[in-house]
Amino acid sequence: MLGFFSKLRVQILGIVLLAVIPAWGFVVYTGLEHRQLAKKHIEKEAVAVVQDIVNSQGQLIRQTRQLLIFLSKFPEIRQGRYQECSALFSGLMKENQSVVNLGLADYQGKIICSGLPTQQLTTLADQAYFQQALKTRHVVVGDYQLNQSTNKPYLVLAKLVRNPAGT
């Protein structure tokens, strides 16, 4: 009699497995398919977010480029008048929160005026963007740098400004 129940149990277990295995397979397949779709959706969203960041950075660079071109026409900047130049830069920085600092350096890289007070004598002569700006009439985009006081990255843009004598 014991052999009979064990055989019946095996047969019932076999029938149950035959019914459950396809359903389990379908659940696994559906889960994998859902995972693939979710992965593709996340990738699309990530690309869209990165594209938005690139667009906003590009817009910010274009606006800053226009600002530098506009500022290069001001007499107080072209003549390097320290007080007026620094006051102008400081005022513009208050109006535009995305600008970390505005400054003017002579052809040797020495800072003539700045929107923020400089703690020490600063020179830009060894900076690649400064050297490139001296060679071209266009706005130069430098590398990202780290603001030492805020620990935030910023991007440097530079433009050659000629004095009234053309030098």
Side-chain angles (χ1 to χ4, degrees):
M1 203 73 174
L2 210 49
F4 176 74
F5 283 114
S6 65
K7 191 175 180 183
L8 182 62
R9 286 182 186 164
V10 169
Q11 289 175 350
I12 291 173
L13 182 63
I15 292 171
V16 168
L17 285 177
L18 281 175
V20 170
I21 287 175
W24 182 76
F26 181 72
V27 167
V28 169
Y29 174 77
T30 306
L32 291 174
E33 188 71 24
H34 181 61
R35 183 177 178 181
Q36 289 290 65
L37 289 173
K39 183 179 174 183
K40 286 180 183 178
H41 179 70
I42 290 170
E43 287 174 354
K44 282 183 180 180
E45 283 188 20
V47 167
V49 167
V50 169
Q51 190 63 44
D52 285 346
I53 292 169
V54 167
N55 289 339
S56 67
Q57 288 292 315
Q59 179 67 21
L60 189 58
I61 289 171
R62 284 188 294 279
Q63 289 172 346
T64 305
R65 179 177 281 138
Q66 290 172 345
L67 176 64
L68 291 178
I69 292 168
F70 179 70
L71 288 174
S72 70
K73 310 287 188 223
F74 279 63
E76 50 268 82
I77 293 171
R78 291 177 59 118
Q79 296 169 5
R81 297 187 296 218
Y82 176 79
Q83 295 284 346
E84 296 168 20
C85 175
S86 292
L88 176 64
F89 287 165
S90 179
L92 285 170
M93 288 172 47
K94 288 177 185 171
E95 295 293 322
N96 191 347
Q97 298 298 318
S98 64
V99 175
V100 176
N101 195 8
L102 290 167
L104 179 67
D106 65 12
Y107 69 95
Q108 295 172 331
K110 180 183 169 207
I111 302 292
I112 296 172
C113 69
S114 174
L116 293 176
T118 55
Q119 288 81 11
Q120 57 191 1
L121 182 63
T122 308
T123 182
L124 303 174
D126 58 343
Q127 300 294 320
Y129 68 86
F130 181 78
Q131 294 298 324
Q132 191 177 359
L134 288 175
K135 296 175 185 172
T136 181
R137 291 180 175 218
H138 304 289
V139 174
V140 174
V141 180
D143 296 325
Y144 275 99
Q145 297 184 13
L146 190 64
N147 185 327
Q148 302 206 351
S149 62
T150 64
N151 248 4
K152 291 185 179 180
Y154 64 95
L155 187 62
V156 176
L157 279 76
K159 165 116 179 69
L160 176 69
V161 177
R162 297 194 182 275
N163 65 16
T167 57

